[in-house]
Amino acid sequence: MSHSLPQDLLDSLERIEGFDIDAFVSVHQSNQQVTSIRLNPAKPFNMADASFNIQHQIPWSSRGFYLDKRPSFTTDPLFHAGAYYVQEASSMFLEQVITQTVDLTASIKVLDLCAAPGGKSTLIQSLLSSDSFLVSNEVIKSRVNILQENTTKWGAANMVVTNNDPRDFQRLPSYFDVIVVDAPCSGSGLFRKDNEAISEWSTDNVALCSQRQQRILSDIFSALKPGGILIYSTCSYSKAENEEVVDWMMETNAVESLSISCSADWGIKEIKSKGFGYQFYPHLLNGEGFFISAFKKSSSDAHAEKTNIKDKKNHIKSKANSYNLLDTIAAKWLMQNLKLAYYNWKEDWIAMPMSLLDALPFLQQQLYLKKVGVNIGTIIRNELVPSHELAMSTIMSDQIPAVELTLDEALQMLRHQPFDIQTPMNGWVLMTYGKLPLGFVKAMPNRINNYYPRDWRILNK
Ligand code: SAM
């Protein structure tokens, strides 16, 4: 059953000067679906291997593209290889907000507070320098797995996944240079994509969402450095979740609102209340409803801790000779010339940038860490048993023996069905599609063991 747009929402939009309510309603009735993807710059592929056709570039995104129609992403091995992320076009405007407000050449610490399933996190990671790092947090436990899976597929070594309540970040005063709060909201901006969501919308829920958004921002604000950037977004059209939250932020915190320059032909509405906000309407541009606003925390915020907590020098117990051992063992598995540090966690070895290793003891003390850097595998009898994270990562050597699979073979591997391939040697062999790694198999004289994680296998036929 198709639901019509809530009258209360339409009434509130009609009160906006110059708002074309007929065009707004008609775009919701059109059933038009916009499909867009954002490419992973660390995993380039040949378009001839893609299961889709790119229509044209999303004007506010350097790596985002509209597709001519929605393909079956589930049966596209490149999707499983982390070559791209399927992301709604409007939300890719986060790239503009970050590139226009943050010095990305510096080594910075970024928090994506409401991160699952990982769309904004993967976008942010692609913008960061390799010695910066991103903490991707999701409070709801059942949503952390998908965040972990998507960040693993993205492959970067400078990401951490945490499962904490926003309040917990008060234990990290003045720690982050940038905090992104893509807040839980009433979701009206996605009504065209998800008609069922209309039945759950109410003005009471909008009010509840607005209160929760303010609480989240209050909880997190002390974790932002003086002079740091706070980015707030929703996929709602409601003033109470957008302009009113911006106004509340300006009234209650020592912040400056930042304006973002947009080309007039992008169709984005700049809203000026006590601060700036940017609203996306689907009848004015090729994307769904979205709102975003950026603030700079005052450098002389009286509430801010004067001194940033120093990342305690790492007191990891691994002995120097373990590092040497790892260097020789890992050398053939990892790209050369990457300035990586290793951390030994139980049986596993984890690679990450030195900046993250320095921060790790402090992060470990304060947060519940679900994933750090790239778990490269376990060392058994001086040999590395490579992990799936290594196969998915962008730090793995390109000299590992590999077999390029056909589409059918790749799908058999991803479905965990038996598949018959010739490998150049026995032992660990990488399976690729479009030259991008899908995972390892272990080739024995008379059989092949598939190490693609069973939990991630494709279930449909
Ligand atoms: N940023 C994600 C992306 O781009 O893929 C989408 C995030 S979604 C809009 C909002 C997220 O906030 C959800 O993952 C939800 O589980 C989480 N969330 C729900 N309640 C929350 C709360 N009280 N504090 C922080 N996050 C919350």
Side-chain angles (χ1 to χ4, degrees):
M1 193 184 79
S2 144
H3 301 274
S4 42
L5 293 165
Q7 195 54 48
D8 285 347
L9 176 69
L10 293 177
D11 291 346
S12 68
L13 291 172
E14 246 178 332
R15 286 195 285 275
I16 301 172
E17 208 187 306
F19 193 84
D20 187 346
I21 200 81
D22 294 336
F24 180 80
V25 171
S26 124
V27 85
H28 281 84
Q29 289 167 342
S30 70
N31 281 334
Q32 187 206 352
Q33 292 293 332
V34 181
T35 303
S36 48
I37 60 165
R38 186 172 35 75
L39 302 179
N40 184 344
K43 297 194 175 188
F45 61 93
N46 191 330
M47 272 301 156
D49 293 313
S51 65
F52 48 77
N53 290 318
I54 276 176
Q55 211 173 30
H56 53 87
Q57 186 156 7
I58 297 169
W60 47 82
S61 163
S62 61
R63 299 179 183 116
F65 295 89
Y66 295 110
L67 304 188
D68 61 348
K69 57 178 187 297
R70 192 176 181 88
S72 161
F73 290 115
T74 315
T75 52
D76 180 7
L78 292 177
F79 170 76
H80 299 278
Y84 59 88
Y85 192 96
V86 183
Q87 187 172 35
E88 193 286 300
S90 303
S91 60
M92 294 187 208
F93 186 72
L94 174 62
E95 174 182 340
Q96 288 294 328
V97 179
I98 293 180
T99 52
Q100 292 186 34
T101 61
V102 178
D103 175 9
L104 291 164
T105 59
S107 169
I108 55 172
K109 303 182 182 90
V110 182
L111 169 64
D112 182 10
L113 181 72
C114 311
K120 308 283 183 313
S121 282
T122 53
L123 183 155
I124 297 164
Q125 191 284 325
S126 298
L127 300 174
L128 298 182
S129 63
S130 56
D131 56 354
S132 297
F133 68 83
L134 170 66
V135 176
S136 286
N137 178 70
E138 171 55 46
V139 63
I140 297 179
K141 209 171 168 195
S142 58
R143 289 173 58 83
V144 180
N145 278 353
I146 186 66
L147 177 62
Q148 238 176 303
E149 181 174 333
N150 285 332
T151 51
T152 298
K153 285 179 176 164
W154 204 247
N158 58 351
M159 291 175 99
V160 177
V161 174
T162 59
N163 174 209
N164 282 88
D165 187 279
R167 261 194 318 270
D168 298 344
F169 289 88
Q170 291 171 5
R171 302 195 288 254
L172 292 83
S174 303
Y175 189 77
F176 292 101
D177 300 271
V178 181
I179 299 182
V180 176
V181 178
D182 187 31
C185 71
S186 63
S188 46
L190 299 181
F191 282 169
R192 180 167 62 160
K193 263 180 144 50
D194 179 9
N195 186 267
E196 280 305 305
I198 296 178
S199 61
E200 284 154 34
W201 189 93
S202 70
T203 43
D204 284 352
N205 189 38
V206 167
L208 278 176
C209 286
S210 177
Q211 282 164 17
R212 181 169 57 187
Q213 288 148 357
Q214 291 167 33
R215 194 175 64 239
I216 292 172
L217 290 168
S218 293
D219 284 346
I220 204 69
F221 194 64
S222 64
L224 185 65
K225 274 183 191 164
I229 303 294
L230 174 69
I231 300 172
Y232 171 75
S233 62
T234 72
C235 53
S236 165
Y237 299 117
S238 294
K239 259 180 137 175
E241 298 179 81
N242 300 338
E243 293 101 293
E244 288 175 19
V245 173
V246 170
D247 289 351
W248 166 86
M249 193 68 204
M250 299 296 289
E251 285 158 8
T252 36
N253 293 293
V255 289
E256 173 197 346
S257 171
L258 302 177
S259 90
I260 306 298
S261 56
C262 304
S263 168
D265 56 10
W266 291 352
I268 301 164
K269 286 277 164 217
E270 183 179 85
I271 298 173
K272 183 87 180 71
S273 53
K274 290 198 165 78
F276 298 97
Y278 297 85
Q279 183 80 60
F280 292 63
Y281 293 110
H283 61 294
L284 298 180
L285 45 76
N286 214 3
E288 307 307 314
F290 183 61
F291 175 87
I292 193 160
S293 181
F295 307 89
K296 183 174 179 138
K297 186 172 184 170
S298 159
S299 325
S300 56
D301 179 9
H303 304 296
E305 298 262 320
K306 283 245 162 45
T307 47
N308 188 1
I309 295 203
K310 285 265 170 289
D311 298 328
K312 287 177 200 139
K313 264 286 153 227
N314 108 55
H315 38 65
I316 292 159
K317 289 190 207 84
S318 313
K319 294 180 194 86
N321 64 357
S322 317
Y323 283 100
N324 295 339
L325 179 72
L326 186 72
D327 272 344
T328 33
I329 294 169
K332 70 170 194 223
W333 292 94
L334 299 177
M335 294 269 244
Q336 300 300 301
N337 308 325
L338 290 177
K339 279 186 258 135
L340 290 172
Y342 306 111
Y343 176 53
N344 182 198
W345 176 284
K346 299 180 184 155
E347 303 295 299
D348 294 343
W349 285 88
I350 299 164
M352 65 194 88
M354 190 52 93
S355 55
L356 180 50
L357 186 71
D358 283 346
L360 196 56
F362 179 59
L363 294 177
Q364 266 175 327
Q365 257 169 27
Q366 310 304 340
L367 300 173
Y368 182 37
L369 307 187
K370 297 290 291 185
K371 166 175 153 59
V372 180
V374 174
N375 183 331
I376 60 174
T378 316
I379 293 179
I380 298 177
R381 287 189 292 278
N382 284 355
E383 288 288 339
L384 184 79
V385 176
S387 69
H388 186 66
E389 268 191 53
L390 177 65
M392 291 286 94
S393 79
T394 54
I395 62 170
M396 185 175 61
S397 161
D398 51 9
Q399 303 299 314
I400 312 273
V403 173
E404 173 74 6
L405 302 178
T406 63
L407 178 61
D408 283 347
E409 288 166 345
L411 290 174
Q412 282 162 353
M413 174 180 185
L414 296 170
R415 289 186 164 122
H416 254 274
Q417 290 168 342
F419 68 119
D420 191 21
I421 46 138
Q422 300 300 316
T423 60
M425 51 169 15
N426 286 333
W428 294 106
V429 183
L430 194 64
M431 302 290 108
T432 64
Y433 181 81
K435 300 275 189 309
L436 293 180
L438 295 176
F440 285 108
V441 300
K442 193 161 190 191
M444 318 288 219
N446 47 11
R447 69 167 199 281
I448 282 179
N449 289 341
N450 182 356
Y451 279 77
Y452 190 77
R454 275 198 173 270
D455 290 353
W456 292 12
R457 73 189 189 281
I458 303 177
L459 292 171
N460 78 347
K461 288 290 152 212

